[in-house]
Amino acid sequence: MKIIDWYILKRYLATFVALLLMFIPIGIIVNLSEKIDEITENQVPLEEVLVFYGNFTIYFANLLFPIFLFLSIIWFTSKLANNTEIIAILSSGISFWRFLRPYIVGATLVCGVALTFTMYLVPNASKGFNEFKYQYFKKGKQSQETQNVYRQVNDEEYIFATNFQPSTRTARNFTLEHFENNEMKFKISASRLKFNPEDSTYTLSNYEKRTVKDREDVIYRKSSIDTVLPFEFDELTPVEYIAETLDYGELKEFIATEKRRGSANISSYQIVAYKRWSVPVSAFILTIIAVSVSAMKRRGGMGANLAIGIVIAFGYIFLDKVFGTIAEKSTFSPLLAVWFSNILFGILAIYLLIKSKR
């Protein structure tokens, strides 16, 4: 790479990192000022608070990194334009496409780091962040589905319970239905189910098993029975943020399992999985838009470029949130919902790039 490439690349990365280091402490201070009363009221140990804000830093940086990247590129590219450095570079015979190369290299590096974070580091941080939030900030609010839970636990068996209590590992009005070739073979019912972690068995109170026969059903009743059932209690009602806490391999397996169980939250889980790829890829799209917007010297200088950049950034966030919510609440494709912003702004990036080149 030539000197000019290293110059632009270092400015690209340094400005992005500087913006992160500047805004992350602000985010921590704002969050701490909102939560300090709850932290002191619950007498949260200092070690737990420090761990929480360590996780918050990773969670917050991953959430807003595309916007930080976009604004940082507009910032330093506008300075290059205002100092007529871009005019000098292009006047020396370097094409606009060649001028763009260090930006693409920078976007590739950022995308690689972002992929590593979203696939492996962010899930662990998200788990600690959400567990702390529900333990101290959302006390009394359920993080799991507990009412009228219906699940397909494998290819042949379905369960239902009117009420699950994850804290005590119990369930009320429990039933298990076993099918073979779409015909019910037996049904187990119990007024109460309790999981015994010491030996992984279940205690069923007011137990009844109805076996379906050709002529007459066979019914067996018992006041209480200990038995093994074909499911793990904790897997029946996963916490609502479970998808955020799994690395990509675990998330794919989890989605496949939940599909077999007939989970109603598949769209939400798929949105999380697709965003593991779409958010890092957005680094390329936003980089091209930012360069195209700020490479020209405008009346109003850097302020005008930043104003345009902020409008575009909020438009990107708005569309991403709107289509994500639509996909969660309807039958709209989660894949299209997640990638819609990138597709739309990718078209905008191509248009602005061609216009800037001219």
Side-chain angles (χ1 to χ4, degrees), residues 7 23 25 36 62 68 110 179 216 309 315:
Y7 175 69
F23 276 95
I36 188 65
N62 177 73
F68 290 153
V110 171
F179 290 82
E216 186 177 85

Side-chain angles (χ1 to χ4, degrees), residues 58-121:
I58 298 174
Y59 186 86
F60 182 73
N62 177 73
L63 185 66
L64 295 180
F65 108 84
I67 306 306
F68 290 153
L69 178 67
F70 185 64
L71 294 179
S72 66
I73 295 170
I74 288 181
W75 176 271
F76 85 83
T77 305
S78 295
K79 290 188 68 176
L80 293 179
N82 289 339
N83 294 333
T84 65
E85 293 178 78
I86 295 178
I87 294 176
I89 292 170
L90 298 179
S91 299
S92 67
I94 295 177
S95 68
F96 190 81
W97 300 109
R98 177 64 182 80
F99 166 72
L100 197 62
R101 189 170 79 175
Y103 286 94
I104 299 302
V105 172
T108 302
L109 294 174
V110 171
C111 180
V113 173
L115 275 174
T116 302
F117 266 72
T118 58
M119 296 295 182
Y120 303 105
L121 298 180

Side-chain angles (χ1 to χ4, degrees), residues 142 144-151 160-166 172-173 237:
Q142 293 287 349
Q144 297 171 260
E145 181 184 355
T146 59
Q147 302 295 320
N148 298 323
V149 177
Y150 178 82
R151 292 286 186 273
F160 174 80
T162 57
N163 180 270
F164 266 84
Q165 292 296 330
R172 296 286 181 182
N173 301 320
T237 57

Side-chain angles (χ1 to χ4, degrees), residues 193-212:
L193 174 141
K194 185 180 187 305
F195 178 65
N196 306 308
E198 59 275 4
D199 55 5
S200 298
T201 62
Y202 293 85
T203 300
L204 287 82
S205 304
N206 298 319
Y207 173 85
E208 177 183 291
K209 181 176 182 180
R210 178 185 294 269
T211 305
V212 179

Side-chain angles (χ1 to χ4, degrees), residues 226-279:
D226 290 342
T227 186
V228 176
L229 295 175
F231 56 82
E232 295 291 336
F233 189 89
D234 293 335
E235 294 178 355
L236 295 177
T237 57
V239 292
E240 62 181 25
Y241 54 83
I242 183 66
E244 299 177 16
T245 69
L246 304 174
D247 66 41
Y248 191 68
E250 294 171 338
L251 181 55
K252 288 179 66 178
E253 293 179 4
F254 174 74
I255 291 174
T257 301
E258 288 299 292
K259 278 185 177 180
R260 290 195 300 269
R261 290 176 173 170
S263 173
N265 299 319
I266 290 297
S267 293
S268 300
Y269 302 148
Q270 289 178 325
I271 287 172
V272 174
Y274 295 142
K275 280 190 175 182
R276 298 280 175 93
W277 293 99
S278 70
V279 172

Side-chain angles (χ1 to χ4, degrees), residues 116-134:
T116 302
F117 266 72
T118 58
M119 296 295 182
Y120 303 105
L121 298 180
V122 173
N124 188 57
S126 179
K127 181 179 180 180
F129 172 80
N130 282 290
E131 286 179 350
F132 186 95
K133 184 170 66 174
Y134 275 94

